[in-house]
Amino acid sequence: FAWLVVAVLCGRWMPRAQWNAPLDITRGLSRSIVSAAVVLVAVQVALLWLEAAVMADMPIRDATPAIAAVLRTTHFGAMWKFGLAASAIVLVLAFVVKDFGDKGFRGAVFAIALAAFAAFAYTLSLMGHPADHGALSVADGLDWVHLIFISVRAGTVLCEPVLVVPRL
């Protein structure tokens, strides 16, 4: 998630930079966004399977039948569906922007991506301990803000040395 957030932000910033970002950087970011979006969706699916195993108190290999019950009857299942929808939106946008070439995320596409990131981070907050205080609690809001900022920070630490610095 952190890599994806920063790759999208860099994809927005790099084409607008005064020093005219090398084409190689924007291409690398575009590929990175698609890869990170695919991984995010795959991790969401794995998370559901693991959580179903925990909730059903059974081994992971036997948890498949419990997935439907988790999705239908639990708070985690409801939040997971919203998180998956947000992840899927980002995945679709990643493929759309990839087809736009090296223009990066712009305008409405960028706004939709940011909204999807915010929604995804909020679902993570609602699946964690802060949700014990209610869906619109101060603890939930603080956790959500923390997840957004730490994603930008961690993503920058991961993404910059791999994508940007070697190409400068």
Side-chain angles (χ1 to χ4, degrees), residues 1-17:
F1 177 67
W3 183 290
L4 183 59
V5 168
V6 169
V8 168
L9 290 174
C10 286
R12 170 76 173 181
W13 295 329
M14 296 300 263
R16 299 177 65 181

Side-chain angles (χ1 to χ4, degrees), residues 2-61:
W3 183 290
L4 183 59
V5 168
V6 169
V8 168
L9 290 174
C10 286
R12 170 76 173 181
W13 295 329
M14 296 300 263
R16 299 177 65 181
Q18 294 298 322
W19 50 274
N20 290 330
L23 205 53
D24 190 33
I25 293 174
T26 54
R27 282 191 192 126
L29 284 170
S30 181
R31 285 190 302 269
S32 177
I33 290 167
V34 171
S35 299
V38 168
V39 168
L40 183 63
V41 170
V43 167
Q44 283 292 97
V45 172
L47 176 64
L48 174 63
W49 195 24
L50 292 171
E51 194 66 30
V54 169
M55 288 184 184
D57 194 26
M58 59 178 51
I60 294 169
R61 66 181 178 276

Side-chain angles (χ1 to χ4, degrees), residues 1 4-6 8-9 40 86 90 112-122 144 148:
F1 177 67
L4 183 59
V5 168
V6 169
V8 168
L9 290 174
L40 183 63
V90 174
I112 293 168
L114 290 182
F117 289 145
F120 180 79
Y122 196 60
W144 175 66
I148 290 172

Side-chain angles (χ1 to χ4, degrees), residues 7-161:
V8 168
L9 290 174
C10 286
R12 170 76 173 181
W13 295 329
M14 296 300 263
R16 299 177 65 181
Q18 294 298 322
W19 50 274
N20 290 330
L23 205 53
D24 190 33
I25 293 174
T26 54
R27 282 191 192 126
L29 284 170
S30 181
R31 285 190 302 269
S32 177
I33 290 167
V34 171
S35 299
V38 168
V39 168
L40 183 63
V41 170
V43 167
Q44 283 292 97
V45 172
L47 176 64
L48 174 63
W49 195 24
L50 292 171
E51 194 66 30
V54 169
M55 288 184 184
D57 194 26
M58 59 178 51
I60 294 169
R61 66 181 178 276
D62 300 332
T64 305
I67 290 174
V70 168
L71 287 172
R72 267 192 331 270
T73 62
T74 67
H75 173 76
F76 173 86
M79 293 303 102
W80 183 87
K81 288 181 232 177
F82 286 114
L84 183 66
S87 303
I89 288 169
V90 174
L91 180 60
V92 169
L93 291 177
F95 281 107
V96 167
V97 170
K98 181 180 162 229
D99 291 341
F100 286 161
D102 298 311
K103 294 180 181 176
F105 277 65
R106 297 187 187 266
V109 174
F110 184 68
I112 293 168
L114 290 182
F117 289 145
F120 180 79
Y122 196 60
T123 63
L124 292 178
S125 292
L126 289 173
M127 286 190 271
H129 293 293
D132 294 344
H133 301 287
L136 297 174
S137 68
V138 172
D140 226 13
L142 290 174
D143 188 61
W144 175 66
V145 169
H146 170 74
L147 282 172
I148 290 172
F149 283 120
I150 199 67
S151 295
V152 172
R153 174 66 180 130
T156 302
V157 169
L158 294 169
C159 194
E160 260 183 16

